[in-house]
Amino acid sequence: MIPIIQSSMKPLEDMDLPMMMERLLRLAVPNHLLWLIFFYWFFHSSLNFIAELLQFGDREFYRDWWNSETITYFWQNWNIPVHKWCLRHFYKPLLKSGVSKWLGQSAVFLASAFFHEVRCSALSRVKPD
């Protein structure tokens, strides 16, 4: 991957769209492989290991999000702890206060996007040693 990334700098500087697309497509397969390895290591192995050590009863961190046919099914199944937290502490109180379902879903989505952005911007300010 590193040689492909290094050879991508010139097309990016020259704004050579066909070469940029070719380099991105060449990075797609190794990128997906690394993502799947990380997913298995973190969500399946590490979290279950920690759950075993802490004798945590609920080990359902994700469901079959890869079989999603709708975006709603995907968001409900790819990160169960975050989904349950948002449902319990944000979505249901909004509904009880008289907000419509659509507005409640939109508010939860926007709040999630905001917190992801804050987290990412905070991580980008951390300088490595």
Side-chain angles (χ1 to χ4, degrees):
M1 286 179 68
I2 292 173
I4 296 171
I5 294 171
Q6 289 171 340
S7 68
S8 299
M9 292 302 123
K10 178 101 172 92
L12 286 172
E13 290 170 1
D14 296 342
M15 297 301 288
D16 183 5
L17 189 60
M19 286 297 287
M20 288 173 18
M21 292 303 295
E22 184 264 339
R23 299 293 158 73
L24 286 174
L25 289 173
R26 286 178 63 193
L27 286 171
V29 172
N31 182 45
H32 278 78
L33 183 62
L34 286 174
W35 191 88
L36 287 171
I37 289 170
F38 173 79
F39 179 85
Y40 179 79
W41 168 77
F42 183 72
F43 287 105
H44 195 71
S45 300
S46 299
L47 290 179
N48 278 315
F49 177 73
I50 292 169
E52 187 70 31
L53 286 177
L54 299 175
Q55 298 179 351
F56 186 65
D58 185 12
R59 295 191 184 137
E60 187 177 41
F61 301 111
Y62 59 91
R63 291 190 195 122
D64 62 339
W65 55 265
W66 49 86
N67 289 332
S68 299
E69 292 182 2
T70 64
I71 193 71
T72 304
Y73 187 83
F74 172 80
W75 285 118
Q76 291 173 351
N77 291 290
W78 82 277
N79 192 337
I80 300 299
V82 170
H83 172 71
K84 285 182 179 178
W85 186 89
C86 287
L87 194 66
R88 183 177 343 141
H89 297 288
F90 200 62
Y91 180 69
K92 285 184 179 178
L94 283 173
L95 291 182
K96 286 180 184 175
S97 69
V99 172
S100 71
K101 280 186 166 186
W102 184 87
L103 190 58
Q105 290 172 347
S106 299
V108 170
F109 179 79
L110 291 173
S112 174
F114 173 77
F115 287 117
H116 277 85
E117 190 62 33
V118 167
R119 179 185 59 106
C120 288
S121 64
L123 289 175
S124 67
R125 282 188 251 131
V126 175
K127 302 289 184 216
D129 292 333

